[in-house]
Amino acid sequence: MTRRASTEPFDTNPLSGALPLSRRRLLELAAAGSAAGLLPLGGTNEAKAFAYEPYPKDDELETVVTSCAHNCGSRHMLVAHKKGDVIVRLSTDDGRYQKDGFFGKDTEEEPQVRACLRGRSYRARLYSAERLLYPMMRVGPRGEGKFKRVSWDEALTFVANKMVELKTKYGPQAILDQSYAGASYGVLHKSDQIEGLLARFLGMFGCRTSSWSVPSYQATTFSSRMTFGTIEDGNEDDAFAHSKLIIMWGWNPAYTFHGGNTFYYMRMAKQRGCKFVLVDPQYTDSAAAYDAWWIPIKPNTDAAMMAAMAHVIFSENLHNQDFINRFVLGMDQGTMPDWAKGKENFKDYILGTYDKTPKTPEWAEPICGVKADDIRKLARMYAGTKPAALKASWAPGRNAYGEQYNRMAAALQSMTGNIGVLGGCAEGVGKAFHSEAVAYPYDQYANVWYASIKSDRWAHCVLNYPNVKREEVGLWPRQDNLDGVIPNIKGIFWQGSDWFNQLTNINKEIEAIKKLELVVCMDSTITPSGIWADVLLPIATHFERHDVALPWYKGHYYIHRPKVIQPLGESKSDFQVFTELAYRLGFGPAFNPKANRDYFHIDDNVDEAYLREWWEGRVMGNAAHPVTMGWEEFKKRGIYKFHLHEPHVAFKDQIEKGIPFQTASGRIEIFSTQLAQITDWTKTQYGYEIPYIPKWIEPWESLNSPKTAQFPFHLISPHPRWRTHSIFNNIPWLRETFEQEVTLNAADAAKLGVKTGDVVELYNDRGRVVVPVYATERCMPGVAVLHEGAWMDLDKNGVDRAGNPDFLTLDEPSPAGAFAYNTVLCAIRKTTLEHKPGWDQLATSRSHVFRRDL
Amino acid sequence: MANEKDKAAIKEAVKRKKREHYVPVVPDTQLGFIHNNVDCIGCRACEIACKDKNGLPPGPRFRRVQYVEGGTYPEVFAYKINMSCNHCAEPACLPTCPTGAIFKRKKDGIVDIDSTLCIGCRRCEAACPFGAPQYNAETNTVVKCNMCVDEIDAGRKPYCVMACMMRVLDIGPIDQLRAGTYETKARGANDEVVRQVRNMADPELTNPSIVFVPHSKGKVG
């Protein structure tokens, strides 16, 4: 469905008068006729800009509302302006498209959902040279990157035969599902471990090993489940506008955006007098924009600093005892369950009752590199400001024992009573307002698996099979005879994921992938993972298939995603590919009940039927938030924005109405009843013991460990702004705005004898990468920052010239499953090796000169 | 590209241009930009929107978000200055153009280049103190921001402004922006605006149509 933008309500020259158009003025103009206010053209030389015709203006093009589609948690509107079957340019929400909308409408209740720089660059990705247009099969050794074009029939025949062979020879665990949300977060076409199409396809086929730990936020997933009994611990984005204090703990919304209009509501908070604090090894753009008090902290020591804050709050009696008594389990002696009265409670731990180590600010200072007085000041500030949001973000959890940091944050949030109140915060995962999100058949066949492992242990499993213990790979327990059976992984499917480039310790992965017998990559472009595949299947982008989008993280709206253009080349949707494969394997009708085998060639009616049924049934029939807009009107407008009568705040009902939390005790479990009762840890998916109350545990490497003698820098690898993980690394527009570079403190750089722009080598026992330096005062000494997601580019010695930090990371997850992406020591030296920012020859350019102390 | 041009028309244009003495056009309303240096997160959505709108290859960047940082660890600061073409009241580029390709619109003061007349001599590029005109080697012309005249004429705002996720970039009549009487989200309730920030060319040179909400470290004088 497309709609033509109408210019009728708009004055042809509103800027001659009052701008922005107020609602009243707009109505006046509409009444007066659209020509009102037009000034006579002045001068003789009124040539057009870009006079080289044809320069199509927006209003001469067809307008189609759609959205961006990558895995950042946000989801914003893109408006395609197309001519024929070509998208000429993209714009974004300007207030016109929603119900009762008009150009410029942008209220606090219904803000525009404006796309970020990545979304705005989508046209360059859609038409990029890296697009996969035809099925291809490997001709050289795996990883060499040589492929030949084949027909769909040849490619799918090969895949189907190989799947049957693997299942027959190696059993129901032989194929590893490494689908992820890289290419798609739609309600119908979805790549994901749990709700994804591949999970259902392999499950129905009867051969699937699943990857259970989430690379981004497994620590906080664990923490939120243990503490609150749910991962939906998030407030909606607009709730941030109501805080008086926001502590951004390892959180950089200026880079990650984090759903809806989070960053913008935080600006509103600032204008209303909210104070900001940043606890982070870097002085980020968020710190600058929100004028935050920056507390630099050594990576991986966050839980220690939080413990010290808890000590200050307890010892100065700043905690909210009433809240603790009513809602919390195990915060102190009085709130311990009867059966565990003799066990250590959180206050005991903080005050050092048993271990004789009070977790004072002075205790934390040498661990964290934060002055005791600053810890004290922040603790008092947090306990004394109401309401205050301690936003414990994901990055500090991507660590050895990262779950302790998130559990410790939950303890601070509850002892100060900042949970369930507007302006407070229990995040955590931060998943907020929940909308209906699955339109394909999500039934008893969805997410069937025969083994499930910690996601970054697959290479370890493959390389050491069968001499692998279940705790080494984090094998999820089962109730049948497959419990404890180590999977003999012989094949991998990548659906919308570039995991080979994104998981830890890539050199180990390279060894492991050589042992596999089938590697299938389904994606819209070639990716570093695709280079290692046997079969490349070209997948239609979200511009080329029908779907509905919504943010999975924050933001309350649906965006319609029509088939804006026909799929390029021979590309097909994932759903089409799986359906055709299912027919070849004998379960086609069960896999896609609304389709017949023609679906591979014509998908429009089937997709429409799924989406309509979902919208009219689940979305309009949702008990908590029914949508009244019909499917046809939604398709015509392109967007539906929910009207919430107040900002959604997690656990508000629990606090205000006394509804029990979803934990076993019905309370906020700082003392975890589940963890306290585990006796054999090897039989759990964690594999190793996790304390039942939050504790500071020394990570296996950090700036405090002796290993710094050899590897003096602590490497962290946060999300970049100019990529969504690895997606968009190939976009020249984005690449000329930012560089893949290692950020170092200026004094460290001076010691290494390097300055901004010099090329260095980062190395440790696991790998070597080559990148330029950015030397700045904005980074803590001893810390090196290298953003994740650069497309690996190996030289003949196995050195990565692109600067992908995952050649240095360790494939040793935290017990709770958190990837230890940020637990890495490395050394740095100046090098003559070449840095290659991308696979093409495009030179990256810095847009500006960094100026210091003007 | 240059080969395809109408050489006779260019010769005519040069002749006409030589006879003229440049008097800056006084627009009926001068439009200008406002940018909040502090609240800008430097995301560059505006830059990419501009690239897409104008179909630019890597190279020319009409809009440039410049990062400024300073201080000594841990007492540091950072802010952004966001500029495209400032559509100056007395544009330095305009009189340098040998063919008269550069012109200033009477109705709103937008400075634009008629690319059919541009011969790619790059004199304007050298003259502009802000780096607005930029050479596009693919077309052998100089190109620059025209404030999305097509959008302005359609009653909307330029792509960069409509892209701003933080609502810190806006346009409006420059006299009202300077006086602080123009209603815009770019300026907070207590924010003052200035014509110049540190390390920016003296606005007396060309009288650029832009104001900033400055960072405390970016104030001049």
Side-chain angles (χ1 to χ4, degrees):
Chain A
M1 257 303 177
T2 58
R3 71 187 295 274
R4 236 170 220 292
S6 164
T7 55
E8 270 175 18
F10 308 118
D11 182 6
T12 50
N13 196 3
L15 290 160
S16 60
L19 246 181
L21 280 181
S22 67
R23 181 88 173 123
R24 178 183 295 169
R25 165 118 177 103
L26 186 95
L27 294 171
E28 285 168 7
L29 289 169
S34 62
L38 183 69
L39 286 175
L41 296 177
T44 50
N45 198 355
E46 284 291 346
K48 286 175 184 163
F50 305 99
Y52 36 84
E53 291 290 348
Y55 179 77
K57 296 175 182 173
D58 281 6
D59 297 334
E60 296 159 6
L61 298 168
E62 196 179 345
T63 304
V64 189
V65 172
T66 181
S67 84
C68 53
H70 273 98
N71 179 26
C72 65
S74 307
R75 197 62 63 234
H76 293 119
M77 185 191 286
L78 291 177
V79 181
H81 302 273
K82 69 168 195 167
K83 185 165 189 171
D85 206 36
V86 174
I87 298 178
V88 176
R89 67 180 75 94
L90 296 170
S91 65
T92 191
D93 194 1
D94 59 15
R96 262 187 286 179
Y97 306 99
Q98 71 223 44
K99 194 169 196 294
D100 301 324
F102 53 88
F103 177 78
K105 185 176 186 182
D106 190 23
T107 61
E108 184 168 347
E109 297 74 29
E110 269 191 334
Q112 293 173 18
V113 288
R114 296 182 174 187
C116 77
L117 74 167
R118 304 184 291 251
R120 298 306 295 253
S121 76
Y122 247 114
R123 201 169 57 89
R125 182 170 187 272
L126 172 66
Y127 296 119
S128 69
E130 290 81 12
R131 262 311 285 273
L132 290 176
L133 299 174
Y134 312 101
M136 289 196 277
M137 284 176 63
R138 174 169 67 83
V139 290
R142 191 174 282 140
E144 192 189 34
K146 287 187 180 163
F147 297 90
K148 65 169 180 184
R149 180 178 168 181
V150 297
S151 67
W152 269 107
D153 184 58
E154 193 178 339
L156 296 181
T157 302
F158 174 83
V159 172
N161 290 344
K162 207 75 189 166
M163 284 175 72
V164 172
E165 184 190 323
L166 294 188
K167 184 180 162 189
T168 313
K169 262 167 85 176
Y170 305 108
Q173 304 170 318
I175 300 177
L176 178 64
D177 178 346
Q178 287 199 335
S179 159
Y180 219 62
S184 170
Y185 197 82
V187 300
L188 182 59
H189 302 280
K190 186 180 262 187
S191 54
D192 178 59
Q193 279 292 310
I194 297 169
E195 295 176 340
L197 292 166
L198 178 62
R200 190 161 176 280
F201 168 71
L202 290 179
M204 285 178 91
F205 173 63
C207 184
R208 175 176 180 239
T209 288
S210 139
S211 309
W212 68 259
S213 53
V214 180
S216 291
Y217 54 85
Q218 192 61 41
T220 179
T221 294
F222 170 85
S223 165
S224 299
R225 286 232 168 89
M226 291 302 137
T227 313
F228 304 116
T230 173
I231 63 167
E232 284 169 30
D233 59 5
N235 305 336
E236 269 299 269
D237 49 358
D238 46 348
F240 282 104
H242 299 273
S243 292
K244 294 275 177 277
L245 169 70
I246 296 177
I247 302 173
M248 303 182 284
W249 206 296
W251 189 38
N252 186 8
Y255 264 43
T256 55
F257 307 121
H258 249 175
N261 273 291
T262 306
F263 39 83
Y264 176 47
Y265 283 116
M266 288 168 71
R267 181 177 179 226
M268 286 185 194
K270 184 175 115 174
Q271 289 176 336
R272 292 167 188 171
C274 177
K275 300 290 176 216
F276 289 79
V277 178
L278 173 75
V279 184
D280 198 304
Q282 282 194 98
Y283 183 80
T284 58
D285 283 350
S286 299
Y290 301 118
D291 194 19
W293 170 31
W294 178 37
I295 304 178
I297 183 168
K298 288 185 204 168
N300 285 212
T301 65
D302 309 272
M305 177 163 163
M306 287 179 167
M309 287 172 67
H311 191 277
V312 175
I313 292 170
F314 276 135
S315 56
E316 299 185 7
N317 210 23
L318 303 174
H319 55 285
N320 185 337
Q321 190 66 47
D322 179 52
F323 186 94
I324 292 170
N325 291 343
R326 288 172 63 200
F327 302 112
V328 187
L329 189 77
M331 182 66 83
D332 49 23
Q333 182 62 25
T335 55
M336 285 294 270
D338 291 337
W339 58 269
K341 284 285 184 204
K343 286 180 180 275
E344 187 179 25
N345 62 58
F346 182 67
K347 194 172 184 177
D348 283 339
Y349 170 71
I350 293 299
L351 299 180
T353 311
Y354 293 89
D355 63 7
K356 305 298 168 206
T357 307
K359 312 301 176 296
T360 61
E362 283 70 21
W363 163 82
E365 181 174 315
I367 298 172
C368 310
V370 180
K371 285 197 183 76
D373 282 347
D374 284 343
I375 298 175
R376 215 167 259 121
K377 183 176 156 191
L378 180 62
R380 288 171 187 155
M381 206 169 160
Y382 180 50
T385 312
K386 305 282 179 209
L390 167 57
K391 166 71 183 177
S393 192
W394 305 345
R398 290 193 289 269
N399 277 325
Y401 311 107
E403 59 274 9
Q404 299 308 318
Y405 145 78
N406 281 106
R407 295 258 294 141
M408 198 70 84
L412 286 175
Q413 290 159 344
S414 20
M415 70 199 291
T416 54
N418 274 306
I419 290 172
V421 294
L422 183 60
C425 182
E427 306 176 16
V429 177
K431 190 174 165 64
F433 178 77
H434 186 72
S435 308
E436 294 293 336
V438 184
Y440 79 95
Y442 190 70
D443 50 19
Q444 71 271 27
Y445 302 115
N447 194 26
V448 172
W449 48 266
Y450 302 92
S452 189
I453 59 170
K454 287 182 181 173
S455 305
D456 61 343
R457 292 306 273 167
W458 77 271
H460 181 86
C461 190
V462 168
L463 289 171
N464 295 292
Y465 184 86
N467 302 312
V468 181
K469 294 199 183 93
R470 64 183 294 167
E471 60 266 31
E472 288 171 30
V473 291
L475 207 57
W476 200 284
R478 288 179 67 95
Q479 305 303 320
D480 59 15
N481 58 1
L482 284 174
D483 181 52
V485 177
I486 302 295
N488 188 8
I489 296 165
K490 287 291 177 184
I492 287 189
F493 263 76
W494 292 309
Q495 182 213 353
S497 91
D498 186 15
W499 264 17
F500 197 66
N501 193 65
Q502 295 300 104
L503 300 185
T504 44
N505 201 353
I506 298 176
N507 279 322
K508 193 164 168 182
E509 287 192 304
I510 288 174
E511 288 312 305
I513 204 164
K514 291 173 183 165
K515 301 202 164 217
L516 301 185
E517 296 177 20
L518 174 66
V519 182
V520 180
C521 180
M522 307 169 66
D523 216 320
S524 305
T525 69
I526 186 71
T527 60
S529 297
I531 293 288
W532 293 83
D534 302 335
V535 185
L536 293 168
L537 302 178
I539 301 302
T541 67
H542 68 284
F543 292 111
E544 300 155 329
R545 65 189 179 206
H546 191 185
D547 214 335
V548 173
L550 72 161
W552 67 255
Y553 193 63
K554 294 181 195 296
H556 31 286
Y557 44 85
Y558 286 111
I559 303 177
H560 183 233
R561 226 189 239 165
K563 192 185 266 191
V564 183
I565 57 169
Q566 291 303 312
L568 296 190
E570 292 180 2
S571 57
K572 303 282 178 192
S573 75
D574 294 301
F575 204 11
Q576 283 177 302
V577 175
F578 290 133
T579 303
E580 174 60 22
L581 272 173
Y583 269 98
R584 283 160 190 260
L585 293 164
F587 55 97
F591 179 73
N592 190 344
K594 286 196 196 304
N596 58 33
R597 207 160 172 179
D598 289 343
Y599 184 66
F600 194 62
H601 305 289
I602 308 157
D603 58 350
D604 303 73
N605 291 341
V606 172
D607 287 3
E608 165 78 13
Y610 276 117
L611 292 167
R612 175 188 287 276
E613 181 182 276
W614 166 76
W615 184 271
E616 290 177 347
R618 305 181 71 126
V619 176
M620 295 180 74
N622 182 290
H625 299 283
V627 169
T628 52
M629 187 185 283
W631 174 241
E632 291 301 330
E633 187 186 350
F634 172 61
K635 285 201 294 183
K636 183 167 148 279
R637 295 193 178 281
I639 186 160
Y640 176 83
K641 296 183 180 177
F642 283 91
H643 289 266
L644 307 180
H645 63 281
E646 58 184 352
H648 171 84
V649 173
F651 310 127
K652 195 163 183 280
D653 286 349
Q654 280 82 345
I655 302 307
E656 287 183 359
K657 299 181 190 162
I659 293 168
F661 282 84
Q662 289 166 261
T663 53
S665 64
R667 296 166 77 95
I668 300 168
E669 293 200 355
I670 300 306
F671 169 86
S672 167
T673 51
Q674 187 183 334
L675 297 179
Q677 294 177 81
I678 294 174
T679 48
D680 184 356
W681 286 90
T682 60
K683 294 275 166 54
T684 66
Q685 64 269 38
Y686 314 120
Y688 308 95
E689 186 177 352
I690 303 171
Y692 52 79
I693 52 170
K695 288 189 172 183
W696 154 248
I697 303 174
E698 183 86 33
W700 42 78
E701 52 190 60
S702 78
L703 287 175
N704 298 325
S705 45
K707 246 179 124 175
T708 49
Q710 195 186 356
F711 300 114
F713 288 94
H714 193 126
L715 178 73
I716 58 173
S717 49
H719 297 134
R721 180 154 61 192
W722 55 101
R723 290 188 293 263
T724 305
H725 303 299
S726 72
I727 307 297
F728 299 111
N729 189 63
N730 60 325
I731 306 303
W733 288 342
L734 294 173
R735 201 161 340 121
E736 74 176 349
T737 60
F738 298 94
E739 269 186 69
Q740 182 71 3
E741 61 198 355
V742 61
T743 303
L744 296 175
N745 178 275
D748 284 342
K751 273 186 236 160
L752 292 169
V754 293
K755 56 186 188 311
T756 295
D758 287 351
V759 178
V760 294
E761 190 185 326
L762 280 67
Y763 62 97
N764 61 19
D765 295 336
R766 297 176 286 273
R768 294 161 72 189
V769 303
V770 179
V771 275
V773 167
Y774 162 41
T776 177
E777 301 289 340
R778 292 170 62 172
C779 181
M780 188 179 199
V783 176
V785 185
L786 183 62
H787 289 98
E788 53 114 18
W791 286 16
M792 64 167 108
D793 186 354
L794 300 176
D795 72 8
K796 59 183 187 309
N797 298 316
V799 177
D800 176 39
R801 296 170 289 193
N804 183 329
D806 286 309
F807 280 93
L808 308 177
T809 50
L810 179 62
D811 59 320
E812 181 80 51
S814 191
F819 282 54
Y821 281 127
N822 292 326
T823 307
V824 180
L825 289 179
C826 72
I828 300 175
R829 64 182 169 222
K830 200 170 178 177
T831 185
T832 54
L833 294 174
E834 187 192 10
H835 167 67
K836 290 182 79 174
W839 293 354
D840 53 270
Q841 293 303 305
L842 177 83
T844 58
S845 64
R846 189 174 286 287
S847 61
H848 50 272
V849 178
F850 278 95
R851 308 175 188 134
R852 294 205 50 245
D853 283 329
L854 303 176
Chain B
M1 190 74 186
N3 305 341
E4 296 162 22
K5 291 199 173 175
D6 184 344
K7 287 192 178 152
I10 288 175
K11 257 185 198 162
E12 268 310 299
V14 173
K15 224 191 267 172
R16 185 168 66 239
K17 165 77 182 169
K18 277 184 179 156
R19 287 200 304 273
E20 283 172 7
H21 178 73
Y22 174 63
V23 181
V25 170
V26 180
D28 301 333
T29 303
Q30 174 70 55
L31 293 180
F33 286 104
I34 178 169
H35 177 251
N36 189 321
N37 290 178
V38 186
D39 291 356
C40 174
I41 55 174
C43 74
R44 293 181 166 143
C46 52
E47 284 196 29
I48 304 297
C50 173
K51 285 280 217 183
D52 189 36
K53 165 70 165 55
N54 294 298
L56 295 178
R61 295 170 74 176
F62 292 177
R63 181 158 286 288
R64 301 161 309 280
V65 181
Q66 300 163 79
Y67 287 28
V68 180
E69 62 176 51
T72 305
Y73 176 86
E75 298 300 324
V76 294
F77 65 88
Y79 61 91
K80 318 288 183 277
I81 302 170
N82 191 344
M83 245 191 224
S84 59
C85 171
N86 295 326
H87 302 280
C88 305
E90 297 160 53
C93 57
L94 199 152
T96 67
C97 181
T99 68
I102 305 179
F103 61 100
K104 188 170 176 66
R105 302 216 305 184
K106 179 83 170 85
K107 73 167 173 176
D108 50 23
I110 291 174
V111 178
D112 203 351
I113 304 177
D114 181 341
S115 55
T116 59
L117 294 177
C118 176
I119 55 172
C121 72
R122 305 176 72 171
R123 289 191 203 176
C124 53
E125 193 186 351
C128 174
F130 305 108
Q134 292 171 34
Y135 184 61
N136 183 348
E138 278 185 19
T139 57
N140 187 34
T141 53
V142 174
V143 288
K144 70 168 200 63
C145 156
N146 63 1
M147 212 185 264
C148 294
V149 279
D150 48 333
E151 288 293 289
I152 299 275
D153 290 345
R156 298 187 290 262
K157 292 187 178 185
Y159 263 51
C160 55
V161 168
M162 296 310 293
C164 183
M165 300 181 88
M166 291 292 275
R167 285 75 160 173
V168 293
L169 180 67
D170 203 354
I171 61 161
I174 192 66
D175 50 344
Q176 292 179 40
L177 285 174
R178 285 179 184 142
T181 55
Y182 184 75
E183 191 193 324
T184 172
K185 288 181 179 172
R187 184 175 46 79
N190 304 315
D191 290 338
E192 296 294 318
V193 297
V194 297
R195 289 180 67 200
Q196 187 184 13
V197 290
R198 290 185 82 170
N199 274 33
M200 173 181 155
D202 187 343
E204 294 309 315
L205 287 171
T206 65
N207 196 1
S209 306
I210 188 166
V211 292
F212 297 106
V213 176
H215 190 277
S216 59
K217 304 278 190 188
K219 286 182 180 160
V220 177

